[in-house]
Amino acid sequence: MDFLPINIRISDGKVLIVGGGKVATHKAKILARFMKHAVVIAENFSEEIKELSFKLIEKKYDSEDLKGYRLVFICTDDHELNHEIKRQATEQGILASVCDDTSYCDFVSPAIYKKDNLTIAVGTDGKQVKRAIAVRNQIKEKIEDGRIQID
């Protein structure tokens, strides 16, 4: 499965995260670097998600919750529910990332380094996340110590 690396505008706030645990927290913290107004729906939220500027809706997921969104990160701890949410998102024309199953993803998140308006993304099509992070970290280190000039 190959993914096209693209940049997509998400500043309009039409991004939904379903889930409030560890994986959802990780995705939310990444998104918070790029936007202020996402929505998170879950029955429970981690303390870290509560500290973000996102709108939190404490409730059980319902298919009506997808209406009006362009992207959805599906991060519950229920694999069957994740697949069902993905099916519903596809029916509504919404791009979805099932955070525990790349075979169900329309998009995957790369390892990201961001400085001002420069964004460097390292992706492995969701298959070798630790490898992408290691390469991103090497690039970050070389930029920050001046071995790679970005100005």
Side-chain angles (χ1 to χ4, degrees):
M1 188 176 331
D2 295 323
F3 290 91
L4 173 68
I6 62 171
N7 293 326
I8 185 167
R9 182 185 1 223
I10 59 170
S11 58
D12 62 5
K14 302 218 182 266
V15 177
L16 174 66
I17 298 171
V18 180
K22 181 180 177 182
V23 175
T25 299
H26 176 72
K27 294 299 179 186
K29 287 169 70 176
I30 292 169
L31 281 173
R33 294 167 44 200
F34 295 88
M35 65 184 309
K36 302 243 185 271
H37 303 290
V39 173
V40 184
I41 294 175
E43 293 182 67
N44 299 295
F45 300 100
S46 72
E47 291 304 314
E48 290 177 283
I49 286 182
K50 290 177 183 178
E51 294 172 4
L52 300 175
S53 65
F54 296 165
K55 179 178 180 181
L56 306 179
I57 301 174
E58 191 172 344
K59 66 183 271 315
K60 186 175 181 176
Y61 167 81
D62 181 89
S63 61
E64 293 294 310
D65 295 329
L66 294 174
K67 293 200 183 310
Y69 291 97
R70 293 176 38 196
L71 293 175
V72 61
F73 290 86
I74 305 167
C75 308
T76 78
D77 58 3
D78 181 333
H79 301 294
E80 289 180 25
L81 176 60
N82 289 349
H83 293 170
E84 177 60 19
I85 296 170
K86 168 60 170 110
R87 186 190 65 73
Q88 294 168 355
T90 298
E91 286 178 356
Q92 295 183 43
I94 301 165
L95 295 176
S97 178
V98 179
C99 298
D100 67 351
D101 190 344
T102 55
S103 67
Y104 278 79
C105 290
D106 296 317
F107 64 94
V108 293
S109 300
I112 300 167
Y113 172 73
K114 183 165 179 56
K115 182 172 176 144
D116 303 322
N117 67 343
L118 175 70
T119 303
I120 298 171
V122 180
T124 59
D125 294 339
K127 294 183 179 13
Q128 297 175 316
V129 175
K130 289 180 181 179
R131 182 178 179 207
I133 291 168
V135 171
R136 184 263 333 260
N137 289 346
Q138 290 177 49
I139 293 168
K140 176 183 176 184
E141 180 182 312
K142 289 177 181 179
I143 289 171
E144 291 179 353
D145 72 13
R147 288 182 282 164
I148 296 176
Q149 296 296 314
I150 62 172
D151 296 320

